[in-house]
Amino acid sequence: MSVSRISSRSRRLNKAQKLSVAGVSTLAAAALAFSLVPNDASATTEPQAASAAAPVAYTGSQAKSLQAGAIEQNSTAEQLVKAADAAKAKDAAEKKKAAAKAAAKAKAVAEAKSEAAAKAKADAKKRAAKKASRAADRKPVYANNLDGWIREALAIMDKKNIPGTYEGLHRNIIRESSGDPRAINNWDINAINGVPSKGLLQVIKPTFDFYHVKGTKHDQYDPVANITAAANYAADKYGSIDNVDSAY
């Protein structure tokens, strides 16, 4: 073999060796990168385990990529927190709005009930007034005679809680004046003293003035005024006009 052939083969072998070394280096780097990813222990080979034990060196681009990933994760976390806070604030605002709406509705219902109650009260007052007016319109008209005077007097006495009956009044009227509303006694001691007895039940002026019943005429000769004043006096002195059977 010539020297030139040996030299050429040596050059070719050196080139192949170089390629083989480069291939091994590439495989080693791939194994190192692969060792960073967790894997099943049974599938890990001894060369890979040896490679994992070696410190990992990152290139500048890899470090920047990792930093960018961390920043992106932090940004995503912050966005999630902000979104949660916004959702919480929105929920609170909606609850507050619903509470205000419910309060307004309750207030409106209460006001409506109050207005309805006030209206019902006013209507009841109007009905009572109308009823009273009708009752006034239906005020009985008493005859202008002894029977009518006694009945009218009894109605007034009933309102004023003055005791007495038709029979008691009628009996004493007949005895005292025979039913004459203008009757006057000019001969007894009262007449001598200047205060004669007058009217249906022969009442003197001081007694009439003291026992006069409000709502009747202030006139001794008025039949109804005379009867009610005399009955009021008899109730005070004897318990009732019914208990009087003689001069009183």
Side-chain angles (χ1 to χ4, degrees):
M1 186 177 293
S2 65
V3 175
S4 61
R5 286 181 180 179
I6 295 173
S7 178
S8 175
R9 185 181 297 176
S10 177
R11 287 196 298 271
R12 287 197 298 270
L13 182 61
N14 288 337
K15 186 176 180 181
Q17 288 175 343
K18 289 179 182 179
L19 290 173
S20 179
V21 169
V24 171
S25 299
T26 303
L27 290 173
L32 177 61
F34 183 77
S35 68
L36 295 177
V37 181
N39 202 350
D40 188 7
S42 62
T44 305
T45 63
E46 290 183 0
Q48 289 174 335
S51 298
V56 179
Y58 294 99
T59 64
S61 61
Q62 288 175 330
K64 288 181 180 180
S65 177
L66 290 173
Q67 185 178 9
I71 293 172
E72 184 179 355
Q73 290 178 358
N74 289 336
S75 176
T76 302
E78 289 177 359
Q79 290 176 359
L80 291 174
V81 171
K82 289 181 179 179
D85 291 342
K88 187 177 180 181
K90 183 179 179 181
D91 184 59
E94 289 178 351
K95 287 182 178 179
K96 185 176 180 181
K97 184 178 179 181
K101 186 177 180 180
K105 184 177 180 180
K107 184 179 179 182
V109 171
E111 289 177 350
K113 287 183 178 179
S114 179
E115 289 177 1
K119 187 177 183 300
K121 186 176 181 181
D123 290 342
K125 190 175 181 180
K126 287 180 180 179
R127 286 194 298 270
K130 188 178 290 186
K131 185 177 179 180
S133 178
R134 287 197 300 266
D137 293 340
R138 292 196 301 267
K139 183 178 179 180
V141 177
Y142 299 98
N144 188 27
N145 55 31
L146 182 57
D147 178 73
W149 301 330
I150 293 175
R151 292 185 185 282
E152 185 175 355
L154 283 170
I156 295 171
M157 289 164 59
D158 183 61
K159 292 179 181 179
K160 302 294 183 179
N161 295 318
I162 300 173
T165 63
Y166 187 98
E167 187 278 329
L169 291 173
H170 188 271
R171 171 167 42 84
N172 282 284
I173 288 171
I174 296 301
R175 187 189 66 251
E176 293 292 332
S177 66
S178 299
D180 181 6
R182 304 297 299 179
I184 182 172
N185 186 327
N186 290 318
W187 57 86
D188 62 5
I189 188 64
N190 291 320
I192 294 172
N193 292 330
V195 283
S197 301
K198 297 180 180 179
L200 291 174
L201 285 169
Q202 293 292 284
V203 183
I204 61 175
K205 186 70 163 65
T207 300
F208 177 83
D209 290 340
F210 188 83
Y211 290 99
H212 173 257
V213 176
K214 290 183 179 180
T216 63
K217 294 180 180 179
H218 207 285
D219 179 2
Q220 279 179 270
Y221 287 118
D222 180 78
V224 176
N226 188 280
I227 292 172
T228 54
N232 196 20
Y233 165 76
D236 185 36
K237 297 299 181 181
Y238 306 101
S240 172
I241 192 69
D242 294 348
N243 299 328
V244 178
D245 291 310
S246 61
Y248 61 106

